[in-house]
Amino acid sequence: MIAENMTQAFQWTYNENDQEFSLHGSLRPQRADELNHCIAALEQSVSGVNGLFYVNVRRLVRMNNVAFHALGCKILDMVRKRSDLKVHVTTSSVVGWATRKFAVLETMSDKITVSEYDNEFYPGQTFLEEGGFIPILRTQTKLTWHHERDLLGRHGLEPGMQVADICCGIGDFAVLMQKEYKPDRIVALDHSRSSLDYARKVAGDFGVRGIDYVFGDASDMLLESNQFDFVTCRHSLQVFDRPELILKELLRICKPGGRVYITNEKNSHCLGEPRSESIQRTYSELARLWAHFNMDIELGPKSRRYLMDAGFEDIRMESFMVTNLDGNPQDFADIIQSWEDVYAGQMAVDRGDSEEQIREFRQGFQDHIFAALHPKGYAGWPIWVASGRKPK
């Protein structure tokens, strides 16, 4: 569950993906009971987790002693009642005394740790070559999971199944599937050892069991044939120059009668208002940029054909739109900014774009961010979902 409350001077959100309870805004109650709803939400959030639970107060701009005592006492109460639980508190220098105050909790329980965001946040960040991209990848999964949680069930995922997540990346989608659908076993495979190291550490921190992280090439896997009831492969066929090779492998490892679930994009259909023309121009150019490097970011609607050509039957297909209304609009804006940094950065330079071309390319991304953050704006990122059954 990704829960959110946005109705008070302060807000709280819970992100199941990160096992993180976050507070935003100005937290200055006069009495502790003014925080009852927030404390109840904190208790509900922690009830569904194992291992490491994050309490994030780095986006608070104000916080008084009443709030600190209420939160501090609750955090101590949580770790003392549950032997399996650890809590990490993330503060920032914005509320000057917050780090010093919360650090007192570390002296009262060895199951509580505290760090200041300005110094370090994600504990496994240094595991990836592109460590700064991890928060963006996790934010993307957070926004797509809002839609995919129910989609997976409609496409055949059920508790107790044998599941494979191929091209699992940093592993957060496998963790969410494990929590929501409780499969008997998940094998999560990726070609990046650093991503797998990060995935293993997160699963360990969160006390998640039942996921085997495996190194391998998705187009030539060492996994045995006919062993999985449900196989996922998200946002990956569009990256490979020969997606049919991966589909052949997905079909091979799937049991007869099992299903393969894929997601892909069509970025030229990204949209936003206001400034729609600039946005559309940039995303059409983005499709041409990917094609230059033999990748097909327009693959989404082609998924049905690919699955049929690979030999699947009973194809189910639908699409959804990730938007700035799915949660905090800043999350959506952060994703777009990361796209601009990569696509209008090194990729455009490597293609040989001129400074003028890059400037125009960047403008569409900035206009998409403007639409996402505009009080009356709307911004969307479309994704296509398709699944097919392996013939018996």
Side-chain angles (χ1 to χ4, degrees), residues 64-105:
N64 65 12
N65 266 326
V66 175
F68 166 72
H69 281 295
L71 282 172
C73 289
K74 177 48 63 180
I75 291 169
L76 278 172
D77 182 57
M78 292 188 313
V79 296
R80 286 170 176 168
K81 285 183 176 177
R82 286 183 47 183
S83 60
D84 64 323
L85 185 69
K86 295 182 179 179
V87 174
H88 182 86
V89 182
T90 305
T91 64
S92 84
S93 58
V94 174
V95 181
W97 52 265
T99 303
R100 177 168 50 85
K101 283 277 191 181
F102 279 104
V104 172
L105 300 180

Side-chain angles (χ1 to χ4, degrees), residues 91-368:
T91 64
S92 84
S93 58
V94 174
V95 181
W97 52 265
T99 303
R100 177 168 50 85
K101 283 277 191 181
F102 279 104
V104 172
L105 300 180
E106 291 183 302
T107 68
M108 302 174 73
S109 172
D110 60 4
K111 295 163 67 181
I112 300 174
T113 52
V114 179
S115 69
E116 193 169 86
Y117 172 71
D118 311 82
N119 296 326
E120 181 181 9
F121 183 47
Y122 284 97
Q125 189 165 341
T126 56
F127 290 170
L128 291 185
E129 298 95 340
E130 299 293 337
F133 214 62
I134 292 175
I136 296 299
L137 294 176
R138 296 190 70 88
T139 300
Q140 289 189 175
T141 303
K142 169 186 170 183
L143 294 183
T144 58
W145 181 251
H146 176 73
H147 301 268
E148 289 187 89
R149 181 176 55 199
D150 295 331
L151 280 169
L152 286 164
R154 292 207 296 272
H155 285 257
L157 180 57
E158 298 177 359
M161 283 185 162
Q162 298 284 321
V163 176
D165 184 28
I166 306 304
C167 305
C168 68
I170 59 173
D172 50 352
F173 186 76
V175 169
L176 289 168
M177 281 199 297
Q178 201 275 346
K179 288 182 175 180
E180 185 75 17
Y181 283 91
K182 297 179 173 49
D184 187 58
R185 173 191 179 216
I186 298 180
V187 172
L189 179 144
D190 201 89
H191 67 281
S192 168
R193 295 186 188 278
S194 54
S195 293
L196 291 171
D197 287 343
Y198 176 83
R200 292 187 186 103
K201 181 167 187 356
V202 170
D205 287 346
F206 289 178
V208 174
R209 304 182 190 282
I211 302 176
D212 297 327
Y213 291 102
V214 177
F215 175 77
D217 177 356
S219 65
D220 187 17
M221 292 184 276
L222 298 179
L223 300 175
E224 293 182 7
S225 302
N226 304 319
Q227 62 169 312
F228 297 104
D229 302 291
F230 197 82
V231 180
T232 62
C233 185
R234 303 169 58 259
H235 304 284
S236 298
L237 298 181
Q238 61 195 25
V239 175
F240 291 88
D241 58 346
R242 296 188 64 187
E244 66 276 9
L245 294 181
I246 296 180
L247 277 170
K248 182 180 177 181
E249 282 291 90
L250 300 181
L251 179 71
R252 182 182 65 78
I253 66 173
C254 187
K255 289 179 181 177
R259 294 192 75 86
V260 168
Y261 170 100
I262 61 174
T263 65
N264 290 286
E265 303 166 52
K266 184 176 176 67
N267 266 25
S268 65
H269 282 200
C270 284
L271 53 84
E273 286 285 349
R275 303 182 180 179
S276 61
E277 291 184 4
S278 167
I279 294 168
Q280 187 173 40
R281 184 165 55 246
T282 281
Y283 283 99
S284 295
E285 183 58 36
L286 177 59
R288 287 190 281 273
L289 176 68
W290 275 54
H292 176 81
F293 292 101
N294 295 320
M295 299 183 290
D296 187 4
I297 196 64
E298 302 288 273
L299 193 146
K302 306 171 188 174
S303 299
R304 181 169 183 261
R305 170 164 58 83
Y306 272 104
L307 285 170
M308 295 177 73
D309 290 347
F312 291 94
E313 60 185 20
D314 185 26
I315 311 297
R316 300 174 188 172
M317 190 159 177
E318 49 193 311
S319 61
F320 63 88
M321 183 78 77
V322 176
T323 80
N324 59 325
L325 307 181
D326 285 337
N328 187 339
Q330 187 62 54
D331 286 344
F332 190 99
D334 289 345
I335 290 172
I336 305 308
Q337 183 60 64
S338 73
W339 290 355
E340 179 191 336
D341 293 343
V342 175
Y343 305 145
Q346 195 59 46
M347 285 182 72
V349 171
D350 287 352
R351 188 173 62 166
D353 290 8
S354 67
E355 291 185 4
E356 177 60 22
Q357 288 173 314
I358 292 176
R359 186 197 63 76
E360 186 175 348
F361 193 27
R362 286 186 180 278
Q363 187 60 51
F365 291 116
Q366 287 301 307
D367 288 338
H368 207 196

